[in-house]
Amino acid sequence: MSVILGRNASVGIGFESTEGTAVAAARTARLASLSLNVASTRARIDDLSLGGTSYLKARYLEQVEVSGSMEILCYYENGSLASFLRACIGGTWATTGAGPFTHTLAPGAEPPAVTFRTARDTLNTTGALQRGDVIAGARVTSATLSAQTPGILRLAINFVAMSSTPGSAPSPSLPAHDDPILSHAANRWRWNSVDYTPRSISLDLENAVEGLRGFGSASITGAAVTGIRNARMTVTRFKTNDNWADANTAGTESDGDITFTSGTDQFRINLFNAQVPEAVTLAAQSVGLVEESAIFESRDDGTDPPVQFVLVNDDANAEDS
């Protein structure tokens, strides 16, 4: 079900050493939306569940499903973006420099198991957070990193989990509002050595994660990557040429990137070996402008990763970002 959020709602994240065993939240992000589904299904087993007068006894096959989605606001630092991106694609942040520091992340073999700790309401007179959830053994099934003009960069994730327990909210340290990643902080999407001015961008990450079930538990006992993972960037712009449509026809492949900048802070998305696999979409407006949307899909060539994130800030440890 969807959950009504109060002011200063947040979600903490911690990486689990034992999958399904909840850990403390090392970092906290501002929570823009949350949908959490915990469903228990009980099916009667007729040959075991009837008493001497043919009425029900307590013989059921139980199945528990935990899944959900959430959206966080993105900051250059102190907003947990680095931790959530690692939860989305796996891998390990690599840091270089001596301040400002450059942190780089490429995908790992599979997304790691994490604990989410939500703080979702402000129902008392002092504004303190009272309600929360401890979501353990969670893995990100898909994620979308998007921004529109004008707007703040947002990260939406979908997940499956092993358990969810309601409880009192934690007391998080939330990032200030003064350094969010804003749409006007990036002025171009570069692909095939040409700069384009976007109206909106949306990076879709698909992990093909499936929950695993085994004896000894009514809920999932873990998760695994089951198929093909994808990284696809959808870019919308005002149409000024036929470059994208021509690239779709020709099968052109090239690297793409977009960089957001605030002072010395930066956030960059690199999409390597990207093609335009589908027909370009056009939308004409009444004033005569034409919007064009294209999907850029990356591939792994064994040298460059399909997608890469770069953060530049004052944090010596990328996870503090």
Side-chain angles (χ1 to χ4, degrees):
M1 64 178 181
S2 294
V3 178
I4 298 175
L5 300 178
R7 62 186 183 276
N8 289 332
S10 64
V11 56
I13 184 172
F15 292 87
E16 297 175 354
S17 55
T18 301
E19 186 172 7
T21 300
V23 297
R27 279 92 184 174
T28 304
R30 289 188 176 273
L31 188 59
S33 67
L34 171 66
S35 178
L36 180 61
N37 303 296
V38 183
S40 295
T41 303
R42 292 172 178 85
R44 191 179 79 185
I45 306 173
D46 286 341
D47 59 344
L48 296 177
S49 62
L50 301 181
T53 54
S54 299
Y55 285 88
L56 293 179
K57 293 178 68 176
R59 296 290 189 271
Y60 293 92
L61 177 65
E62 184 180 41
Q63 178 172 294
V64 180
E65 298 280 354
V66 179
S67 62
S69 61
M70 64 179 68
E71 185 178 55
I72 68 167
L73 306 179
C74 298
Y75 293 76
Y76 291 100
E77 54 188 327
N78 196 35
S80 299
L81 179 59
S83 292
F84 275 86
L85 289 176
R86 180 157 74 93
C88 290
I89 66 171
T92 302
W93 285 96
T95 299
T96 58
F101 300 91
T102 299
H103 315 288
T104 305
L105 179 70
E110 62 181 32
V114 299
T115 297
F116 295 127
R117 293 179 177 265
T118 69
R120 49 181 165 80
D121 70 350
T122 48
L123 298 181
N124 66 19
T125 56
T126 64
L129 293 158
Q130 296 186 102
R131 298 287 182 265
D133 311 277
V134 179
I135 305 167
R139 288 185 192 259
V140 175
T141 59
S142 62
T144 299
L145 191 63
S146 62
Q148 298 182 350
T149 305
I152 184 173
L153 190 70
R154 294 170 178 257
L155 176 63
I157 67 171
N158 300 304
F159 60 87
V160 295
M162 294 172 63
S163 66
S164 176
T165 305
S168 60
S171 300
S173 176
L174 289 173
H177 288 92
D178 56 355
D179 205 21
I181 302 175
L182 302 175
S183 60
H184 62 250
N187 62 2
R188 94 293 183 276
W189 159 256
R190 168 168 285 191
W191 181 74
N192 199 25
S193 301
V194 179
D195 289 347
Y196 301 97
T197 301
R199 292 270 292 161
S200 66
I201 64 161
S202 178
L203 175 64
D204 295 311
L205 303 168
E206 175 59 52
N207 282 328
V209 166
E210 184 72 21
L212 301 176
R213 291 185 177 276
F215 282 8
S217 176
S219 61
I220 69 169
T221 56
V225 176
T226 63
I228 298 173
R229 301 169 73 183
N230 289 313
R232 311 179 94 197
M233 177 79 84
T234 301
V235 183
T236 299
R237 63 162 181 152
F238 286 127
K239 180 179 173 63
T240 57
N241 53 52
D242 294 322
N243 289 0
W244 293 356
D246 292 343
N248 168 249
T249 303
T252 305
E253 181 177 286
S254 186
D255 299 339
D257 68 82
I258 186 168
T259 303
F260 299 83
T261 303
S262 177
T264 59
D265 293 338
Q266 289 188 354
F267 177 63
R268 180 185 178 98
I269 305 171
N270 289 321
L271 209 65
F272 293 104
N273 308 304
Q275 292 187 346
V276 182
E278 300 178 11
V280 176
T281 303
L282 300 179
Q285 301 182 7
S286 60
V287 295
L289 294 173
V290 176
E291 281 193 346
E292 180 182 42
S293 295
I295 294 172
F296 299 85
E297 184 171 37
S298 62
R299 70 178 183 88
D300 187 349
D301 67 350
T303 300
D304 295 314
V307 63
Q308 182 185 69
F309 299 114
V310 180
L311 265 172
V312 179
N313 56 31
D314 295 324
D315 290 331
N317 179 4
E319 295 292 338
D320 291 336
S321 303

